[in-house]
Amino acid sequence: MPYASTKQLIQRAAHAGTVIPAFNIPYLPMVEPVARALKDCNSVGLIVVARLEWEKFESKSLEAVRDEYEKFKSPAHTRLHLDHVPVIDEDDRRVDYPAIITRAIAAGYESVMVDGSRLPFDENVACTRAIAQLAHASNIPVEAELGAVMGHESGPLPPYEELFASGKGFTDPDEAARFVQATGVDWLSVAIGNIHGAISAATKGQQKVAARLDIQHLDRIHQKTGIPLVLHGGTGIRKKFILDSIRHGIAKINVATAIRQPYERHLAKGVIAAQDAVYAAMLTVIRDELEVQNSNIRLNQEDKPYLHYELNSL
Ligand code: 13P
């Protein structure tokens, strides 16, 4: 029986009220423990790299991550996804995003993200639509972002509670509906109180704030768009909000800091120790935080919807 495509997997997760986690690879040796944990938990997850992880960390290039992925992939448990390729990056520089995305598709990435969220609405629409056309021609689904999921920028963030209370940068539900309609994008990354883990040298080791999510706001976006939604900044969000968000349209959740920091903290003891720390962190995320152990049983093998709680009683 052929395995499900990434598009089918996310669609099934959305219908079933469960989530597919996406794990970032800032260091190449992280691929092995991430894939191993997904297999050992019989879960489905995406292994992903963002442009800033080969520019500012040590994953070298999208092709290097693909090569590492090829050694450890499992058709029942893993898929390869290209995370944030910004149109304007976190340092305010323009990026040749069509060239990077074209390279990723040629290299075998099974889904891609274009991030035009730092652009005005109409320009974000135009860039995203062009990438959706390009990727769909190769049957590759596309994720885009609308609203501001902050945290990657080098400057200091406003205090979190201030940010949350003001709703500054939150995805507007009406704009989201127009965006989805105009671009043909497959999945939409939304801003509802989530923030990315910091990445500057001075801050990347710090603990993230325990972010909250505005679930009512998410629900409005979900009702208006009708496509699977994506939650970036998955580390450190209080569990109650995560589980609630999955019930209200989040079908993919990105996790980076929760597995990167253990790797960095243990590296002085050697790569094996650092990989073991990533593996242990993966088990915590899969089993305790997202509760997606055994998701392969239904997501990959049958077209039958199931509920999150059924999965976890297996
Ligand atoms: P965290 O670092 O908060 O887990 O965010 C990951 C992310 O959204 C990568 O795109």
Side-chain angles (χ1 to χ4, degrees):
M1 189 182 59
Y3 288 101
S5 68
T6 310
K7 180 157 173 142
Q8 284 171 320
L9 288 171
I10 299 279
Q11 203 71 45
R12 286 178 195 176
H15 285 150
T18 190
V19 76
I20 297 191
F23 295 103
N24 283 79
I25 304 294
Y27 301 93
L28 291 175
M30 286 175 65
V31 173
E32 187 277 330
V34 168
R36 178 159 45 104
L38 286 166
K39 285 181 240 177
D40 289 352
C41 293
N42 201 18
S43 291
V44 178
L46 310 185
I47 294 185
V48 316
V49 67
R51 173 183 174 268
L52 67 80
E53 287 163 332
W54 69 77
E55 295 275 335
K56 297 189 171 168
F57 290 87
E58 293 172 22
S59 48
K60 297 199 174 115
S61 68
L62 65 89
E63 288 84 1
V65 173
R66 185 271 325 268
D67 290 345
E68 198 68 3
Y69 177 78
E70 287 297 318
K71 294 183 209 161
F72 302 108
K73 71 180 182 182
S74 157
H77 305 98
T78 63
R79 295 288 180 279
L80 184 62
H81 168 77
L82 184 69
D83 191 26
H84 292 276
V85 177
V87 178
I88 296 177
D89 74 8
E90 59 287 351
D91 301 318
D92 262 338
R93 283 191 298 246
R94 257 344 280 173
V95 174
D96 188 358
Y97 61 98
I100 295 173
I101 288 169
T102 303
R103 254 174 57 209
I105 294 171
Y109 280 73
E110 297 163 296
S111 52
V112 296
M113 177 183 192
V114 58
D115 176 3
S117 64
R118 294 190 180 93
L119 297 168
F121 179 82
D122 289 340
E123 289 175 46
N124 189 358
V125 167
C127 294
T128 303
R129 185 172 47 213
I131 292 300
Q133 283 169 357
L134 180 149
H136 289 167
S138 304
N139 249 331
I140 298 294
V142 175
E143 174 183 343
E145 184 165 297
L146 185 66
V149 182
M150 289 182 256
H152 282 164
E153 299 76 7
S154 48
L157 270 181
Y160 178 75
E161 286 306 325
E162 224 172 81
L163 207 66
F164 188 82
S166 70
K168 189 166 170 273
F170 279 21
T171 307
D172 179 88
D174 291 310
E175 277 193 353
R178 284 194 280 132
F179 186 84
V180 167
Q181 189 71 36
T183 59
V185 77
D186 300 274
W187 317 319
L188 185 67
S189 159
V190 295
I192 52 168
N194 44 323
I195 52 168
H196 283 119
I199 53 151
S200 74
T203 55
K204 70 183 166 78
Q206 288 173 5
Q207 192 179 355
K208 275 188 75 178
V209 292
R212 297 191 281 133
L213 301 175
D214 186 337
I215 300 295
Q216 280 186 344
H217 194 87
L218 170 64
D219 201 44
R220 285 193 284 273
I221 300 170
H222 182 43
Q223 299 300 333
K224 297 231 168 189
T225 57
I227 63 167
L229 301 176
V230 181
L231 187 68
H232 281 248
T235 300
I237 300 173
R238 290 173 212 170
K239 182 168 173 179
K240 159 187 172 342
F241 290 103
I242 299 250
L243 295 183
D244 249 10
S245 76
I246 297 168
R247 283 190 278 270
H248 290 86
I250 295 295
K252 168 176 177 283
I253 179 164
N254 283 36
V255 177
T257 307
I259 57 170
R260 171 180 57 76
Q261 288 183 339
Y263 185 91
E264 290 169 338
R265 279 200 292 267
H266 287 79
L267 199 53
K269 289 181 258 160
V271 172
I272 302 279
Q275 287 177 312
D276 287 346
V278 172
Y279 181 80
M282 284 288 296
L283 296 188
T284 303
V285 172
I286 292 171
R287 293 179 179 162
D288 305 336
E289 294 175 4
L290 303 181
E291 300 182 352
V292 289
Q293 67 275 31
N294 290 320
S295 63
N296 168 49
I297 290 171
R298 295 288 170 82
L299 287 181
N300 232 327
Q301 296 176 354
E302 294 174 41
D303 227 340
K304 186 170 142 211
Y306 70 97
L307 294 171
H308 202 74
Y309 70 81
E310 287 178 342
L311 182 69
N312 290 298
S313 62
L314 283 168

